[in-house]
Amino acid sequence: MQSTRSFKDRVFLVIKGLAMGAANKVPGVSGGVVAFVAGFYEEFIYSLQRVNKTAFKLLFNGRFRSFYRYINGKFLGSLFLGMIVSYFSVSKILDYLIVHYELYVWSTFFGMILGSIYYISKDFKEWNRTTLLALVLGAIAGLSVSFLDPATENDNLLFVFFCGIISVSGMTLPGFSGSFILILLGNYVLLLVDSVNALYDTMIDVFSGNFDFIYDAYRIRMLKVLAVFTLGSVAGLVTFSHILNYILKHYKFITLATIMGFIIGSLGVVWPWKETIYKTNSEGITILDSTGKQIIANYQRYLPEFNSQTYIAIVYIALGILIVLGLEWYGKRTRQIKA
């Protein structure tokens, strides 16, 4: 696969990684949907499940080139490079847009998920009692997640490891948002804000030659939390990919129908017309995170009134659908050129 991949293909893979990274960070949106619609989901799962005992043997024996080839390194490297760059760039722009143009951002995402449902379903010809049941169960599971009440923050390291495993579901399971699940588990701020800020501050201190942070119990605790969360994420990514690779091989159409159901269910999370509910203390005062931002507890959804703002939002929904159709057109054109 990687030997035939041109420089242009790798650039587009980095761009797809940017899109996946941005989608993963937004509560309610799943990076796996990007992989599915952009046409590299099965290769992504296949490449991740190559991170196994054989890969580690090659790595520990110093056979780095063989290791790189074995895990489809050109593909995974380009994709993860895009995700890392996204975390410090595209996702920051997205944060700004959500603050200032919340309705239109959610409308675009809603349209993209509608487009994804169309994209996946139009070529699905294996409808029967089993696949219909899988679709319905997937939709119920996806929808019910959006109405759960969030738990309270918990920095127990065993629970943090579990959060890491669960949070990567958005990358491997299209329709399941890892960020939104972290909100429900009560640890979104702890794991994606506080611990990341602790790492950022530590890197600045190390580069400036200041090592006083080793005496800061809170900083050390946050770094431990981030390390355990990262380990959990890696373990989850590899475990999920092995499971998904197996079921895609043996129960492909049931799995695709279930994923379609998850994506339909996720429409409840990205519904554009909603009010953000922020965490408050017992006195009703809004709680702020370490960066001074309000902490999202959940969303209260409502039906819109038909006014100019709603009509503009509908235009953005149409734009979201067009983005997905454009991705589909590009994917088809690329495959035709290669053929």
Side-chain angles (χ1 to χ4, degrees):
M1 261 174 216
Q2 47 185 351
S3 58
T4 60
R5 190 158 265 136
S6 68
F7 176 74
K8 185 184 170 187
D9 290 335
R10 290 172 70 181
V11 168
F12 274 105
L13 263 179
V14 173
I15 293 167
K16 288 167 184 177
L18 287 170
M20 266 189 95
N24 278 325
K25 197 171 175 216
V26 178
V29 185
S30 159
V33 171
V34 175
F36 217 103
V37 173
F40 61 90
Y41 180 73
E42 288 191 41
E43 186 180 356
F44 180 55
I45 296 300
Y46 166 80
S47 302
L48 286 175
Q49 62 94 34
R50 302 280 281 183
V51 182
N52 53 25
K53 199 161 60 174
T54 306
F56 285 113
K57 252 186 209 170
L58 292 169
L59 187 64
F60 293 134
N61 288 335
R63 296 173 61 189
F64 302 118
R65 193 173 288 180
S66 299
F67 167 79
Y68 186 73
R69 273 201 305 266
Y70 182 77
I71 64 163
N72 198 7
K74 281 185 183 176
F75 172 79
L76 284 181
S78 301
L79 211 53
F80 282 112
L81 173 65
M83 287 185 208
I84 292 162
V85 171
S86 172
Y87 193 85
F88 296 101
S89 57
V90 177
S91 60
K92 297 289 178 193
I93 297 165
L94 210 50
D95 288 345
Y96 172 85
L97 292 173
I98 285 173
V99 169
H100 295 89
Y101 306 99
E102 188 177 13
L103 175 62
Y104 304 140
V105 172
W106 286 121
S107 297
T108 307
F109 281 130
F110 189 81
M112 286 176 79
I113 289 178
L114 282 177
S116 305
I117 294 164
Y118 163 74
Y119 168 80
I120 298 163
S121 63
K122 74 181 176 65
D123 294 326
F124 193 84
K125 311 291 183 195
E126 300 296 320
W127 290 117
N128 54 47
R129 197 177 295 172
T130 310
T131 51
L132 280 171
L133 180 63
L135 176 82
V136 171
L137 291 176
I140 291 168
L143 198 59
S144 59
V145 164
S146 63
F147 293 101
L148 291 174
D149 288 325
T152 52
E153 188 172 286
N154 183 350
D155 68 350
N156 177 284
L157 293 180
L158 199 62
F159 184 69
V160 166
F161 186 79
F162 170 74
C163 286
I165 292 171
I166 295 300
S167 71
V168 295
S169 60
M171 281 172 71
T172 50
L173 276 176
F176 260 33
S177 165
S179 298
F180 188 71
I181 287 171
L182 283 181
I183 286 177
L184 295 177
L185 292 171
N187 274 4
Y188 179 82
V189 173
L190 175 73
L191 301 174
L192 294 187
V193 180
D194 294 348
S195 61
V196 173
N197 287 340
L199 176 66
Y200 181 73
D201 293 340
T202 302
M203 285 168 71
I204 288 173
D205 287 345
V206 168
F207 284 121
S208 59
N210 177 11
F211 294 92
D212 290 345
F213 66 86
I214 60 172
Y215 305 108
D216 184 340
Y218 173 78
R219 179 88 68 85
I220 297 299
R221 180 68 182 170
M222 285 298 102
L223 290 174
K224 273 185 193 169
V225 162
L226 185 60
V228 171
F229 176 64
T230 305
L231 282 173
S233 299
V234 172
L237 207 53
V238 174
T239 307
F240 272 130
S241 63
H242 277 81
I243 294 166
L244 278 165
N245 188 59
Y246 176 83
I247 61 174
L248 273 169
K249 234 181 229 175
H250 296 85
Y251 309 100
K252 183 171 182 175
F253 297 113
I254 294 171
T255 307
L256 292 177
T258 308
I259 286 171
M260 221 184 299
F262 286 156
I263 295 171
I264 291 167
S266 73
L267 287 171
V269 184
V270 293
W271 178 250
W273 294 278
K274 58 189 172 204
E275 218 171 285
T276 309
I277 301 165
Y278 296 103
K279 276 193 179 178
T280 56
N281 60 21
S282 54
E283 295 165 5
I285 298 166
T286 306
I287 303 167
L288 303 177
D289 65 25
S290 59
T291 62
K293 289 180 183 173
Q294 294 171 306
I295 300 169
I296 297 169
N298 214 320
Y299 301 100
Q300 189 174 338
R301 295 156 192 87
Y302 60 89
L303 290 171
E305 291 177 7
F306 283 94
N307 52 34
S308 58
Q309 198 180 43
T310 303
Y311 292 127
I312 294 169
I314 290 168
V315 170
Y316 276 98
I317 291 172
L319 174 67
I321 294 169
L322 286 171
I323 289 169
V324 173
L325 295 180
L327 274 172
E328 185 205 356
W329 172 82
Y330 170 76
K332 263 187 186 170
R333 188 167 168 268
T334 308
R335 284 191 292 273
Q336 281 169 0
I337 289 167
K338 281 185 180 176

